[in-house]
Amino acid sequence: MKSIRTMALLGVGVTALAATAPALSQDQVILRLLPYHTDAMVENYNPNNPTGPQQRMRDFAYEPLWIDNIWHPGENEEALAVSWEIGEDLKSITYKLREGVKWSDGEDFNADDVVFSYEYAKAHPDYPMGIDVFNGETGNVTGAEKIDDYTVRFTLNEPDALARYGLNGLYPLPEHVWKDVEDPKNFANLDVVATGPWTKPANFSRNGHDLCRNELSRYNDENAIDCLRFPQMNGNEQTVAALSAGDLDWLGDGLTDPDVTFLPQSEFNNYWLPAGSDVNLQLNTTRAPFDNLEFRKAMSVAIDRDTLLEIATFGLTTETKYPIGTGEMYNTWYDPEALEPYTWLMQYDPDKAMELLDAAGFVDADNDGWRDNPDGTPIAFGISMPSGWTDWVNTGQTVAENLQDIGINASLKTMDQGAWFDAAPRGDFDVYVMWTNSGPTPYNQYSPMFNPRLMVEGQIDFQAMHQMQIPEVEAALDVFKGSADEATQRAALTDIHKAVAENLPVISLFANPVWYEYSTRRFTGWVTEEDQRFRPQVHDGTRERVWHALSLKPIEGAQF
Amino acid sequence: MIFLARRLVFYFAAFFLAITFNFLIPRLMPGDPSDRIIASFQGRLNEAQVAAIRQSYGLDGSLWEQYLDYVGSVFRLDFGISTVQFPEPTASLLFYGATWTLVLVGLSIALAFVIGSMMGIRAAWNRGGFFDSFFTPINVMMNAFTPAIVALVLFYAFSLQLRWFPLGRAHDPNLMAGFDLQFIGSVLYHATLPVLSIFLVSFGGWHLGMRNVMINLLNDDFVILARAKGLSDNRVKYRYVARNAILPQITSLALSVGYMLGGALVTEQVFNYPGLGKFTFTAIQSRDYSFIQGQLLLLTTAVLIANLLSDIANVILDPRLRKG
Amino acid sequence: MTEITQSSRYSLTDRLDEAILASAAPSQEQVMKELGIKGRPGWTSRLPPGLAAFATNPKGMTGVLILLALILFSIFGPMMSDYNPNRRAGKPHVMPSYEHVLGTTRMGKDVFTQLAYGGRVSLAVGFGAGLAAALIGLAVGISAGYFGGRVDDILTFFVNVVLVLPGLPLIIVIATMVESASPWVIGVVLAATGWGWSARTIRTQTLSLRTREFVLSAELMGERKWRIILIEIFPNMLSFFMSGLVLGTIAAILAEAALEFIGLGDPNAITWGTMLFWAQNNLALQSNAWWEIWPPCIAIMLTGAALVMVNFSVDEITNPQLRASRKIGLIRKFLRSRGRSADVF
C-alpha cells in the first residue's frame, strides 16, 4: 500500500508541474480554424491534395484567378485576375491579370505562371488542379495563350458560356518553383511560395500547424491576423467542445440540438445555418417499380416533409418548395409561375398517394399486406444509408415509415460508410438519400445529374444515380451553356425545371443547412444573419473564406 | 530451452498466418480503393487514365503475384502509402499511433496489474475478512461495466462539466515532444482519464486471479513450514506465496495485451486520443487498405512479442521449465 | 461441529489442536450459536449435492435471480407496452411519466418498449454466443487433452492462434465485410473468436484427469472412447464449462454492445447496444436526457454483474477454499480468539 501512496503523490506532483507549463509565445494574433477533420496532421502543403492540405492552403496561401461572390454576384470579386472577357463565339476567355503582385519569395507574378499552370495540368492528368483540360474524350479547355505579360487567353473546344466559372477557380502555381517538380501528387511542398495573405508554415506537429503572415502580400496592411492555426481534431463532440473552451474560433461541423447542446456551453458560442443545397432521394429508375412515373409521384406525395424538417433533422433544415431537385440556394433563378402546377407533389397527402398507386395498378395482388408491381411481382426495397449519419438515418426511417403507411414495403438499409460510398458507382442500390452539388449556377447541379457519361455502370456519379436520360434536359443544358444572355439562360433553366418536375427522376426532400459556427471570444467582424456579405463557410470550395478571415478584427484585451 | 524453441516455431507460424489473413482481408471486403479515387474525378478520366490508376494500386496481376509482393513489402517494413492521408507513408502514421496506444495501454495494464494484484494478495491473506468480502465482489463486477459508457461518463463529468481534465489529445499541443519533465507531465495529465477508464474495467480481473491462485497456494506445506519457523507475515506473503502466484498471472498478462490493444479503441474515440484504435476506425470507414493491413499486422506482432516475452519470463522465473 | 470441514492433512499440529480444543470445548449449541449456524437441514438437502451447494450460495442465487428477472422482463415486457419500439410513440425527449415509464428518445420512441424488445435480442445473442463459444471450447479442449499426440498439437496450435489474434479489431474488420452487421452476425463472429480461453483451461483439466485411476480403469475395461469422454471426463469438467460459459457470455454481451455503440452494428435493429449508439449520437447526456442513456447502460451492467456473481459461486463451490463468505471469516476470528492458528482455513 505504501508504494501506491508514493505513486499517487508522484502523479499529483507531476500533474501540478504540467499545469504550469508555459505555452508557445503568444503575442501574435492567431485565428484558430478547422476546415476538415483528421486524425493526425501531415506535413504537406500541396494546394491540390484533396485529402486535407488543399483545405488549408487554398484561398489562404494560394489565390485563385477570381473569387465568385455567390450571394452577391458582381461585388468585389477580383483576385489574381482583375477582369475577364468571353469571346464572341463563346470559345475563348481572356483574363487580364493583376499587376504588381509578387510571390512570397520576391519573384513577380505574371502570365507565364498562368500559362505554365495550364500546361502543367495537361502534363499531369492525375494531379487534380481543377482545370477541365481537354484530353481527347472529356474536358473543354484546349489551350492557354500568353497575349502579353498580364493577359492570358484560354481557348475551348466547344462553346461554353459557363467555362469561366471553372477557370475562375484556377489557383496558379509559381512557374519558377514547380517547373522542377516531377511528381506533383507526392510532392509535399514544404517551402510554400504563394501570393496570399498567409504563406509561412510554422510550428508543425501531429497536433496541427500554423500558417503565418506573408509580408509581401498586397493584403498585408489590412491583415490583422498574424497566423492561422489549423489544429488536428476529429469527431463532432470534440470540435464543438473545443469551440466552447476557446480552442477554436471558426468551425463548420454538423450540430445536434444546438440550442440545448451548443449555445449554453459558452456565452461566445454562435451559429448560423443559411440554406444550402438540396437533399434528394435518388431512385434507381432502371429497376421496377421506380421505372413507373406514377409510382414516383406517389412516393413524393406520401412523404411527410414537415416531420422530416422538424424532427428527423432537428429543425435545422429548410423546406424546398418545388420538386425540381434543387433548393432555396438558387431561388433567384426560379420562375414561380411556371412551377406552380407542380407544388402539389411536395404536399403530404397519403390518400392521394394511395389513389395514384391504385390507379396505376400497384395493388396487393398476393394479399401479404404489401403492394405489388402491376405484373404481380412483390415490391420490397431498402433506402441505403451510411450508419453514422444520424440526421440522414432519421430521415430515411421517417421516409420508410411514410411509405409503409401507404402499403409499400420500404425499409432502411444501413451500412458502413465505406460500403455506402462504394455501392453507388456500381449501381448496386434501390434508393439513396443524396446531397446535391453546390456551385455558382444551377448548371453545376443539373449537369452532372443528367450527363449520360456519368450513368455508366462502374462510374456512376452520385448525382446521376437515378440513371434517367432526359434529352430535353440535355438540350436545355447545352442552350444554357451556349449562351451568354441571361434571359436565354433563365428560359433554358425553366425548361429544365419543368422536365424534372414532370419526370421526377429524383424526389426533393429538404435543403441542407450550411454549417457555420463561430466564437466571439477573440474576434469581431463575423458574417451573421443580419450581415450577409458573403458565404461564411470555413471549408475549401468557398473561395470567399479568405475575405471572411481578412475582415476579422481582434477584440481589445483578448488572450491569444 | 526446447520449450522456448518450440514456442518460437509456433510464433513464426502464427506470424505467417497473420500475414496471409491480412493480405486476404481487404480483398474480401466489398469495394476497391481505386473505385473511390476514380469516382472522385467525376467522369473526367478517359480509359487509359482509369487503367493507370488501377495499376498504381497494385490491383493488377494474379493473386499469387500480389501475395508475394505483399510478403516482400512486409519484411522491408514498407507498409505502403495511406490513401486517407495521401501521400503520407502508412508506416509513419502507424508508429505514431502505436506509440500513443502503447503509452495508454501500457500505463493502464501496469496500474491494473499492480493494484489489482496487491488487492488480490491482501484479499487472499485475510480471506473472509471485511476487505475480501467487500472488495472482491465489487472489483469483479466492475469488470462487467461497458468500457464505452465508463469512458463517456468520465469524459462528460470531468472534462465537459467540471473541466478538471482536458478534452482529449495525448499532450498539450503547444509543447514540443521531448523527454523533459514538462512534456512528460503533460502526457500524464492528458492520459489520466483514458487510463482511468481502462483501469476501472480491468483491475478486477487481476484481483480475482491473484486471489484465487494465492488461496490455492496458501494451503501448501511450505507456507506452514515458513510460519512455523517464525518468518514474518509479510515475508511469507510476498517472497514465498506471491512469487509463486505470479507465474500464471504473467501468462495471463501476455494474453490480455492483445485484448487491451483492441479494447482501447472506444476510449481513444471518446477522448480523441491519437492511438492506433482511433486511426483504425477511420481507416476502415474510408477503406484505407494499407493502413488496415499495417495495423492488423502490427497488433498481431505486438501480441506475439508479448507472448514471447512472457514465455521468456516464465523460463526465468520457473526453474522447472529450464530442464527441458 | 458438523458444518466445519477439516483440512485433509492430519498432521501432528492438528492432533494437538484438537486435543486442546476438546479440553476447552464449549457445548455444541454454544458454538453453533456463536457462529450463526442453523441446526436443521432445509429443503436443499433433497437436491443432488452439486445443486444444493449452488442453491445455498447467496451470491450465486442473487445472480441467478437477477438474471431471471431480466429474462422475464425481456419476455413479458413487450406485452406490457402498446407501443411499437420502431415507430414514433410520442414527442421527442419526454421525461419519464405515466404514459412513457422511461420517457422517449430523441426520435420520440418509447424507451421502456425499446428496452424490453432490445433485451430479447441482446440476451439471446449474448447467451447464444457464450454458449456456442463454450461448446466449441469444450469440444476442442477435451479432444486435445484426451487424444493427445498429433491431434493435440494441431488443436493447440489453433487454440493459440485464436488466443493471440487481437479480438476487437478483427471483429470490426469482419463486421464491415458484411454489409450491415445484424446482431446475429455479430454473435456468430463473437462465438467464432471467443472459444480460445475455455478450450485452453479445459484441455489442461482433461490432461490432468486423463491419468487418474477411474479413467485408466475404464480404458482397461474396454469402454469406447466417446463413452469415456461423455461419462467419466465430462462431469468433472462441468465447473470449468460453467465458468467458461459465464465468462464467454459476459464477453459476448459487452463486445456486442461495444460494436454497436461505435456504429458498426445495424442501427435498424433494437438492442441495448444500439440504444446506446442512438443515445450517444443524439447527445443525450449533453441534452440532459439521462433516461435515454442510463436504462440500457444499467441493464447491461446488471446482466454482467449477475453473471459475475454466478461465476463466483461456481468457483467457490468447486474450490471451497475460495469462499469469501463472512462465515469463514467468523470461523477464523473464532479460532484466533481461542488462540489457535487460523491457517487451516
Side-chain angles (χ1 to χ4, degrees), chain A residues 134-167:
Chain A
F134 184 65
N135 61 9
E137 277 178 38
T138 62
N140 208 11
V141 182
T142 50
E145 198 188 314
K146 170 178 171 175
I147 308 291
D148 64 48
D149 266 344
Y150 292 101
T151 317
V152 178
R153 176 181 313 146
F154 291 95
T155 46
L156 306 172
N157 188 37
E158 289 171 355
D160 185 355
L162 304 172
R164 64 180 162 99
Y165 287 117
L167 285 169

Side-chain angles (χ1 to χ4, degrees), chain A residues 234-257:
Chain A
N234 198 352
N236 284 16
E237 276 198 47
Q238 280 282 332
T239 57
V240 165
L243 192 77
S244 312
D247 289 335
L248 274 183
D249 298 304
W250 191 10
L251 187 60
D253 278 352
L255 296 174
T256 309
D257 266 341

Side-chain angles (χ1 to χ4, degrees), chain B residues 50 65 77 82 165 184 209 273 287 315:
Chain B
V50 170
E65 280 171 21
L77 284 186
S82 161
F165 287 96
I184 296 186
Y273 203 80
R287 295 287 191 269
V315 167

Side-chain angles (χ1 to χ4, degrees), chain A residues 54 88 114 178 224 317 327 369 382 479 530 532:
Chain A
Q54 185 170 300
E88 284 279 321
V114 180
W178 287 74
T317 50
V479 169
E530 293 80 36
Q532 302 186 18

Side-chain angles (χ1 to χ4, degrees), chain A residues 51-290:
Chain A
T51 63
Q54 185 170 300
Q55 298 260 4
R56 292 178 265 127
M57 303 313 289
R58 282 191 176 177
D59 307 309
F60 298 123
Y62 289 85
E63 295 186 84
L65 284 179
W66 193 264
I67 299 180
D68 291 291
N69 188 334
I70 305 290
W71 283 356
H72 303 279
E75 284 180 29
N76 291 344
E77 294 188 333
E78 305 105 44
L80 284 180
V82 294
S83 72
W84 50 264
E85 200 183 305
I86 307 185
E88 284 279 321
D89 56 355
L90 299 181
K91 282 175 78 164
S92 71
I93 308 182
T94 310
Y95 283 96
K96 276 214 162 340
L97 302 174
R98 190 183 290 267
E99 304 189 23
V101 176
K102 286 199 182 301
W103 293 100
S104 53
D105 62 354
E107 293 284 325
D108 284 326
F109 164 74
N110 55 31
D112 288 328
D113 296 304
V114 180
V115 172
F116 164 78
S117 302
Y118 169 76
E119 298 294 332
Y120 197 70
K122 194 155 157 202
H124 302 274
D126 57 346
Y127 182 55
M129 286 180 62
I131 307 179
D132 206 12
V133 175
F134 184 65
N135 61 9
E137 277 178 38
T138 62
N140 208 11
V141 182
T142 50
E145 198 188 314
K146 170 178 171 175
I147 308 291
D148 64 48
D149 266 344
Y150 292 101
T151 317
V152 178
R153 176 181 313 146
F154 291 95
T155 46
L156 306 172
N157 188 37
E158 289 171 355
D160 185 355
L162 304 172
R164 64 180 162 99
Y165 287 117
L167 285 169
N168 283 354
L170 164 62
Y171 292 84
L173 297 171
E175 180 189 10
H176 56 284
V177 173
W178 287 74
K179 67 178 194 294
D180 298 320
V181 176
E182 303 215 337
D183 184 10
K185 245 175 51 167
N186 289 317
F187 180 51
N189 196 27
L190 294 178
D191 290 312
V192 177
V193 172
T195 59
W198 301 274
T199 56
K200 290 200 195 356
N203 297 329
F204 171 81
S205 79
R206 287 282 186 215
N207 286 310
H209 75 89
D210 294 348
L211 196 63
C212 291
R213 187 186 281 272
N214 174 14
E215 311 272 328
L216 295 179
S217 158
R218 68 181 184 287
Y219 288 117
N220 197 33
D221 292 330
E222 67 178 277
N223 180 7
I225 298 174
D226 294 309
C227 289
L228 300 177
R229 178 161 296 167
F230 297 101
Q232 166 269 323
M233 271 191 218
N234 198 352
N236 284 16
E237 276 198 47
Q238 280 282 332
T239 57
V240 165
L243 192 77
S244 312
D247 289 335
L248 274 183
D249 298 304
W250 191 10
L251 187 60
D253 278 352
L255 296 174
T256 309
D257 266 341
D259 295 324
V260 175
T261 63
F262 178 64
L263 288 181
Q265 300 274 358
S266 158
E267 45 168 332
F268 303 113
N269 282 0
N270 292 284
Y271 74 95
W272 177 46
L273 309 177
S277 57
D278 218 34
V279 170
N280 296 327
L281 282 181
Q282 290 267 359
L283 312 171
N284 190 345
T285 59
T286 61
R287 295 189 186 177
F290 306 110

Side-chain angles (χ1 to χ4, degrees), chain B residues 1 34 48 63 139 141 143 151 168 189 204 207 227 232 265-267 273 296 299 313:
Chain B
M1 286 311 131
S34 56
L63 210 63
N139 288 352
M141 272 191 248
N143 251 33
Y189 178 55
H207 172 124
R227 300 199 61 181
S232 72
L265 191 144
V266 180
T267 312
Y273 203 80
L296 260 184
L299 272 185

Side-chain angles (χ1 to χ4, degrees), chain C:
Chain C
M1 295 211 159
T2 46
E3 301 254 358
I4 304 173
T5 55
Q6 286 205 339
S7 157
S8 55
R9 257 155 290 203
Y10 210 68
S11 53
L12 179 63
T13 40
D14 290 64
R15 267 190 276 151
L16 281 173
D17 273 352
E18 246 193 37
I20 297 175
L21 268 176
S23 61
S27 71
Q28 181 148 336
E29 287 85 38
Q30 244 184 312
V31 175
M32 283 172 70
K33 206 157 120 199
E34 204 171 321
L35 292 172
I37 300 169
K38 280 202 286 257
R40 232 179 304 277
W43 58 276
T44 53
S45 62
R46 279 180 231 146
L47 297 169
L51 218 52
F54 189 74
T56 49
N57 189 312
K59 276 206 214 55
M61 287 317 284
T62 326
V64 169
L65 282 174
I66 296 181
L67 277 180
L68 222 56
L70 284 166
I71 294 178
L72 286 174
F73 172 70
S74 303
I75 297 182
F76 294 113
M79 301 178 204
M80 292 187 340
S81 149
D82 297 325
Y83 300 117
N84 183 334
N86 271 314
R87 310 219 28 168
R88 224 170 14 263
K91 285 201 160 10
H93 272 175
V94 169
M95 285 190 70
S97 58
Y98 181 67
E99 289 115 19
H100 299 277
V101 182
L102 284 174
T104 59
T105 69
R106 187 63 183 77
M107 289 298 291
K109 304 185 188 163
D110 186 47
V111 173
F112 179 81
T113 323
Q114 287 203 322
L115 198 66
Y117 278 92
R120 286 185 176 180
V121 181
S122 288
L123 288 176
V125 171
F127 279 111
L131 187 66
L135 284 175
I136 300 178
L138 184 71
V140 171
I142 288 193
S143 317
Y146 187 70
F147 292 116
R150 250 297 133 87
V151 176
D152 186 17
D153 279 339
I154 298 178
L155 284 177
T156 317
F157 177 73
F158 278 113
V159 169
N160 282 334
V161 166
V162 167
L163 276 176
V164 144
L165 284 180
L168 202 58
L170 195 61
I171 296 177
I172 290 178
V173 170
I174 294 182
T176 50
M177 287 202 318
V178 289
E179 240 177 35
S180 145
S182 75
W184 304 104
V185 169
I186 294 182
V188 165
V189 173
L190 285 173
T193 51
W195 52 269
W197 186 248
S198 65
R200 192 183 241 235
T201 38
I202 290 186
R203 174 181 170 273
T204 318
Q205 186 66 5
T206 314
L207 278 178
S208 81
L209 274 182
R210 195 158 155 271
T211 52
R212 294 266 275 269
E213 299 90 20
F214 63 94
V215 173
L216 287 176
S217 62
E219 283 176 354
L220 280 175
M221 285 202 306
E223 283 266 18
R224 272 174 295 196
K225 289 253 156 86
W226 64 268
R227 272 190 71 106
I228 297 181
I229 292 182
L230 211 53
I231 298 182
E232 310 287 352
I233 298 191
F234 176 68
N236 289 293
M237 216 54 80
L238 206 53
S239 67
F240 289 92
F241 178 72
M242 289 294 299
S243 188
L245 177 64
V246 169
L247 290 175
T249 309
I250 299 179
I253 292 184
L254 286 182
E256 193 206 328
L259 275 178
E260 287 166 349
F261 177 74
I262 53 180
L264 284 172
D266 178 11
N268 254 348
I270 310 241
T271 69
W272 290 340
T274 56
M275 286 176 76
L276 285 176
F277 168 73
W278 282 114
Q280 158 71 346
N281 262 319
N282 292 328
L283 297 185
L285 273 179
Q286 281 92 325
S287 319
N288 286 327
W290 50 269
W291 57 89
E292 192 175 350
I293 202 167
W294 285 115
C297 200
I298 294 181
I300 297 179
M301 298 202 301
L302 269 182
T303 317
L307 285 168
V308 157
M309 288 201 274
V310 169
N311 186 37
F312 246 135
S313 62
V314 167
D315 263 351
E316 285 181 5
I317 292 171
T318 52
N319 196 350
Q321 295 163 343
L322 293 181
R323 263 205 184 141
S325 70
R326 296 290 284 159
K327 267 193 222 160
I328 303 291
L330 287 172
I331 295 176
R332 288 163 58 87
K333 219 163 79 173
F334 168 75
L335 286 174
R336 260 198 287 266
S337 71
R338 289 280 192 274
R340 299 270 60 83
S341 157
D343 284 335
V344 293
F345 285 89

